[in-house]
Amino acid sequence: MLGFRVVICGLIGFTVAITMVFAILRVCARIRFQRRADFHHQEKEAVPRFGGLALAAAFIVAEAGIAIFFRDTHEVPHRAVVILGSLAMFGLGFWDDLRPLGAKRKLAGQLLIASVVYWCGVGISQFKIPFSETVVAVNGLGFALTVMWLVGITNLMNLIDGADGLAAGIAFMLMVLLVYMGMASHSFVLLSAAMAGALLGFLCFNFPPARIYLGDGGAYFLGFQIAAFSLTGSQKGSVLSALIAPLFVLALPILDTALAILRRGLRGLPVFRPDRRHIHHRLLQSGMSHRRMALSLYGVTLIFLIMGFAAFWSRGHLVPILAGVGALVVLLCAGRLKFSREWLTVHRMVGESLAMRREVRYALCLSEWLRFESHRCRSLEDFFTDFLFAARRLGFTEVRVTLADGERVWSREDVCCGHWSCTQEILGGAGGRLTLGAPAGGKSNHMARDCVEAGEDSEAPKLHGVLAELLAETWTKSAQRWLPAQGMLRFQEPVALDPSSQSVRATRPGWVARSEGAARGA
């Protein structure tokens, strides 16, 4: 009987999600949805970030159906708290999708919601010691542990939402695990089944190439549900097995996030600042297609899903063995993908990251100055002048910006060594194409230094890459004010071409030239 109800709820979630996604895409097409100014999402077309709205609708419809038709399975302690907390977390993320709130405000909202949920009765109050029947009360630590769990899993789901289909696919596997766990603890089993069906329907549109994204609303919504459902299930059994099992499925995201926090912290970057050095980015840079990357990570996560089932089935007794097997799987995957070569040189990596801190902090200050300065510029031409100044101070010897109406180039002629360059498309090409160049072996700062042979200094190319990404992100955020609706970014001024140059160059006296002295601020 329970299995039949699980199938029915799954079909309800699937149907509602697909219907809602169709409606969202149709509305966005009618209102000519505009892409969000986000440097780290480089889709060529505007893709709506309102997938969480479809999942929330499926959640509400399924919960209403369970309350009306399956009342005998509806009695779960503090059920209303979890339902309202999930919707509140969705509201916070959806607000950010509509109008960016900033990392600090979002974190404050998450902490507030998690705190209210704890004080309403959902939290960790005791802990069962593994391999024994001893239960220990956590007392005052319960609040901190509960808030860390709810907020941590919520943000973890948001952090892995960086590639088409990745977060939704992993969340689907987690919901399947929660259905299995719910059958044992009689906690949210039908609602978990409904969300699994909704995610399956959503993946029809989110799998590469994605037509819709989860957005912060969807990622927060799913992350909080996963954390809260497992938490309520743990209150009826062993805390260890109910909380550890989902962590196995999240093994790769946890490892990826831990490495990202360590990488950013050592280099002096904000911990919550997104970048393009996650595992899925590395796979894409290695030549994998989006679909193959998603399927590869699904395959690895499926192995950890089986471990999660085993961890819960054994009530935590197999956790040490499963943890060892999981570590072996990670090492084998890292070796196959050539990630382990960097992991074996931890000392060198830490030293290089620490050496970058001063330059990175300086670049962050310049980026902040550029964002403020952009509001004082009357045109994109004026902002490009300030952009050149910042690029020069960071040691770049070439800046090339290609827009719909032409190209602006500045370069130094006294570069006497190998050349490093990085080209990035802004907003899928709508914001132009930005190329930054620097000496391949030189170290970056605002002083001109003697060049060394390319490859002699392995630290410089990595530092150039970090600084170039910071400048490109600043260009994306600042140049948005001159980007027309559904159009391409343009300088919007007539350009006189230099016939003596081998490449197309804009010649405006005072700042665009082939030598350093013509740039403003020299």
Side-chain angles (χ1 to χ4, degrees):
M1 186 63 178
L2 181 59
F4 174 74
R5 294 179 176 183
V6 166
V7 173
I8 292 298
C9 290
L11 289 175
I12 291 174
F14 181 84
T15 304
V16 174
I18 282 188
T19 303
M20 283 298 299
V21 171
F22 269 121
I24 292 170
L25 292 177
R26 188 168 183 177
V27 170
C28 289
R30 182 173 298 178
I31 65 175
R32 296 183 179 180
F33 170 77
Q34 298 182 23
R35 72 166 44 85
R36 178 173 171 174
D38 192 345
F39 168 71
H40 299 280
H41 291 85
Q42 293 291 335
E43 65 275 4
K44 292 185 179 299
E45 297 181 359
V47 178
R49 295 171 52 88
F50 308 136
L53 192 60
L55 297 178
F59 179 84
I60 294 172
V61 172
E63 175 61 16
I66 294 170
I68 295 172
F69 299 107
F70 305 133
R71 299 182 66 88
D72 55 324
T73 57
H74 187 261
E75 297 300 328
V76 177
H78 310 298
R79 187 181 187 95
V81 176
V82 175
I83 301 299
L84 294 177
S86 300
L87 293 175
M89 197 65 79
F90 162 73
L92 176 67
F94 192 69
W95 188 359
D96 182 70
D97 290 329
L98 296 175
R99 184 177 181 179
L101 295 174
K104 293 182 179 179
R105 292 182 180 178
K106 289 190 291 184
L107 181 60
Q110 293 170 2
L111 292 173
L112 177 61
I113 294 171
S115 300
V116 171
V117 168
Y118 172 80
W119 292 117
C120 289
V122 178
I124 300 174
S125 58
Q126 59 185 21
F127 181 80
K128 185 177 179 181
I129 298 177
F131 313 114
S132 70
E133 298 301 323
T134 305
V135 177
V136 179
V138 295
N139 298 323
L141 290 177
F143 172 74
L145 292 174
T146 301
V147 171
M148 287 176 59
W149 175 260
L150 294 174
V151 174
I153 300 299
T154 298
N155 283 292
L156 185 64
M157 188 57 61
N158 187 47
L159 288 171
I160 64 174
D161 186 26
D164 297 358
L166 183 58
I170 293 177
F172 170 74
M173 296 184 194
L174 280 163
M175 287 299 174
V176 172
L177 175 62
L178 288 173
V179 171
Y180 173 75
M181 293 169 56
M183 288 182 175
S185 61
H186 303 287
S187 174
F188 292 105
V189 57
L190 297 184
L191 198 52
S192 298
M195 291 308 300
L199 282 164
L200 194 59
F202 177 74
L203 276 170
C204 295
F205 301 89
N206 185 241
F207 192 75
R211 295 172 58 189
I212 190 170
Y213 292 148
L214 277 174
D216 283 358
Y220 287 2
F221 186 54
L222 292 173
F224 185 85
Q225 281 184 64
I226 292 164
F229 288 0
S230 59
L231 198 58
T232 54
S234 70
Q235 293 176 339
K236 294 190 174 184
S238 169
V239 173
L240 179 68
S241 61
L243 299 186
I244 290 295
L247 292 181
F248 272 102
V249 187
L250 291 168
L252 281 182
I254 290 173
L255 176 63
D256 188 30
T257 302
L259 292 175
I261 292 174
L262 179 64
R263 178 177 64 246
R264 296 166 189 167
L266 290 175
R267 293 180 177 179
L269 292 166
V271 172
F272 293 104
R273 178 189 175 274
D275 58 33
R276 297 181 185 176
R277 292 174 178 83
H278 291 282
I279 292 176
H280 52 273
H281 291 128
R282 298 284 297 273
L283 293 177
L284 292 174
Q285 291 167 7
S286 69
M288 277 192 182
S289 66
H290 282 78
R291 290 195 172 190
R292 185 181 175 188
M293 177 274 299
L295 292 174
S296 299
L297 293 180
Y298 286 172
V300 176
T301 305
L302 184 60
I303 297 174
F304 285 102
L305 175 63
I306 297 173
M307 294 182 188
F309 278 110
F312 185 78
W313 173 80
S314 67
R315 299 183 64 82
H317 293 291
L318 293 178
V319 167
I321 298 175
L322 295 171
V325 174
L328 181 61
V329 170
V330 170
L331 290 176
L332 289 175
C333 293
R336 185 174 182 82
L337 298 172
K338 300 180 181 180
F339 290 169
S340 57
R341 296 180 181 178
E342 295 185 5
W343 295 359
L344 295 175
T345 58
V346 176
H347 177 73
R348 180 178 62 83
M349 291 177 61
V350 171
E352 290 179 355
S353 297
L354 291 176
M356 294 181 187
R357 285 184 65 87
R358 180 175 296 180
E359 291 292 335
V360 170
R361 301 301 296 179
Y362 179 65
L364 287 172
C365 292
L366 277 178
S367 298
E368 189 71 14
W369 170 79
L370 264 179
R371 282 194 288 269
F372 282 113
E373 190 68 18
S374 66
H375 295 284
R376 304 178 62 187
C377 296
R378 293 174 297 178
S379 66
L380 186 59
E381 299 274 10
D382 292 336
F383 175 69
F384 181 65
T385 305
D386 294 324
F387 188 83
L388 281 180
F389 172 78
R392 290 181 54 254
R393 300 295 291 181
L394 293 176
F396 290 101
T397 56
E398 179 184 1
V399 177
R400 182 186 300 268
V401 177
T402 305
L403 301 183
D405 62 341
E407 190 176 69
R408 302 294 189 272
V409 179
W410 169 83
S411 63
R412 280 176 47 181
E413 292 183 323
D414 57 343
V415 178
C416 58
C417 61
H419 191 261
W420 175 95
S421 66
C422 174
T423 300
Q424 303 187 66
E425 283 195 349
I426 307 301
L427 297 176
R433 188 168 63 250
L434 174 65
T435 300
L436 295 168
K443 294 187 177 182
S444 292
N445 63 15
H446 64 282
M447 301 293 292
R449 296 182 177 178
D450 293 336
C451 296
V452 296
E453 294 183 1
E456 181 179 339
D457 184 2
S458 61
E459 173 193 337
K462 292 183 179 180
L463 178 57
H464 293 328
V466 175
L467 301 183
E469 186 173 304
L470 286 172
L471 281 178
E473 183 177 8
T474 304
W475 174 272
T476 303
K477 293 180 178 179
S478 301
Q480 283 295 313
R481 56 179 304 193
W482 295 287
L483 180 64
Q486 300 296 324
M488 305 288 287
L489 192 64
R490 300 172 181 270
F491 282 106
Q492 297 180 347
E493 288 189 16
V495 179
L497 302 182
D498 182 0
S500 64
S501 175
Q502 295 180 358
S503 60
V504 179
R505 291 179 180 268
T507 56
R508 289 192 65 201
W511 54 266
V512 178
R514 295 181 59 87
S515 63
E516 182 180 5
R520 193 180 80 177

